[in-house]
Amino acid sequence: LAGALTRVTVTFKMTSCDFPPGSRVSVRGLRGSQTGTTSSLTVAEASTDGGGSSVADSLATSASFEREYGVLVLTFATTGTKGYSFIASVILTNGEDTQDAPDLNMTASLSPPSGGAYDSPLPQLDITGASSSLYGVTDATRPLRVFRAAFVDSISDQTTPYQALNNVIRVTITPNINLPADTTFTLNGMTGLDTQDSGPIKLTPSGDPGAVLNETAQFNQTAATLTFLVTSDMTAGQPYYFTFIVKNPGSLFDFPRTLLFTGAIPPPSSPLRGS
């Protein structure tokens, strides 16, 4: 999802020889991340031997990342044993705009025993990985596939413009992805409600498919926000309807022309391996 932290996991194996200490493995094509160029990206390793049992870490605990071309460089701190599966994960920040998953490839340079230049390059290898849907987004498990979640066709209206009266606000929202339970979203711009105290506001769900929100939303008068909690999964493309009551200001007030939804979607229940 756009702007979210994503765990990118790379798995590779050398079948012909060991990786000497100082050898480097480069993953290229990780474009579109907001993560800046750095030489200290934290690496989490979970490598295994030929039988699938865990082994001691061989990779350095930090990797370098170059943002423009999306190059991640992993370095062996100790010998990487032939036949082992090396599994390394880093955390990147997704971009803010929708994009397809970029094509990735891998290269490696073996460090000579005497040190010095990396004079034993390995051929480039295209990287393939799992391609599964998540939140109703296709290819969501491929690294740096990004989708910007939003409410489409959001509509709101009210029952009365008169001051100091209870006012029924009616809202229709349609998500463009599947939203799981425990998602929160906030209606920003509820300014001018000087007679409405901060605290819970009762919701009245209506229409098909019925209630998917907690029965109360939380109003914050200082921030002029109303925050909702999703209690049942919401489906992409399905309109959802609800109403709530607020007390209009005691004096004349131009209601804001724009109300803006923001939100937070919980992460998947298990970590994803990007490739």
Side-chain angles (χ1 to χ4, degrees), residues 10 18 38 56-57 79 112 128 142 145 167 182 189 215-216 241-242 267 271:
V10 181
D18 293 340
T38 179
D57 293 351
T79 298
T128 58
R142 294 187 60 192
R145 164 71 163 113
N167 188 7
D182 295 327
E215 63 181 9
T216 58
Y241 317 92
F242 59 91

Side-chain angles (χ1 to χ4, degrees), residues 11 64 120 130 152 156-157 163 165 169 184 191 205 209 219 242 248 268 272:
T11 303
S64 66
S120 299
V152 296
S156 63
D157 60 21
Q163 61 199 70
L165 293 181
I169 307 295
T184 59
T191 54
F219 177 66
F242 59 91
N248 281 343
L272 296 179

Side-chain angles (χ1 to χ4, degrees), residues 48-66:
T48 60
D49 62 18
S53 298
S54 298
V55 296
D57 293 351
S58 300
L59 295 167
T61 56
S62 293
S64 66
F65 179 72
E66 192 281 324

Side-chain angles (χ1 to χ4, degrees), residues 120-131:
S120 299
L122 299 180
Q124 176 178 300
L125 176 68
D126 291 338
I127 297 177
T128 58
S131 178

Side-chain angles (χ1 to χ4, degrees), residues 98-171:
T98 296
Q99 71 170 30
D100 292 333
D103 294 327
L104 306 179
N105 62 71
M106 175 184 293
T107 59
S109 294
L110 301 184
S111 177
S114 59
Y118 296 87
D119 59 358
S120 299
L122 299 180
Q124 176 178 300
L125 176 68
D126 291 338
I127 297 177
T128 58
S131 178
S132 302
S133 295
L134 186 65
Y135 306 119
V137 178
T138 58
D139 290 339
T141 55
R142 294 187 60 192
L144 295 182
R145 164 71 163 113
V146 178
F147 190 86
R148 188 169 184 82
F151 288 119
V152 296
D153 300 327
S154 299
I155 302 170
S156 63
D157 60 21
Q158 64 181 12
T159 56
T160 179
Y162 298 116
Q163 61 199 70
L165 293 181
N166 286 338
N167 188 7
V168 179
I169 307 295
R170 296 177 293 204
V171 179

Side-chain angles (χ1 to χ4, degrees), residues 187-201:
L187 184 59
N188 300 270
M190 302 287 291
T191 54
L193 299 178
D194 55 335
T195 60
Q196 179 73 47
D197 293 331
S198 294
I201 291 181

Side-chain angles (χ1 to χ4, degrees), residues 173-221:
I173 54 176
T174 306
N176 66 349
I177 65 169
N178 298 335
L179 294 178
D182 295 327
T183 295
T184 59
F185 60 91
T186 299
L187 184 59
N188 300 270
M190 302 287 291
T191 54
L193 299 178
D194 55 335
T195 60
Q196 179 73 47
D197 293 331
S198 294
I201 291 181
K202 184 175 176 59
L203 302 181
T204 303
S206 61
D208 185 22
V212 295
L213 301 177
N214 193 50
E215 63 181 9
T216 58
Q218 293 298 317
F219 177 66
N220 185 313
Q221 186 189 73

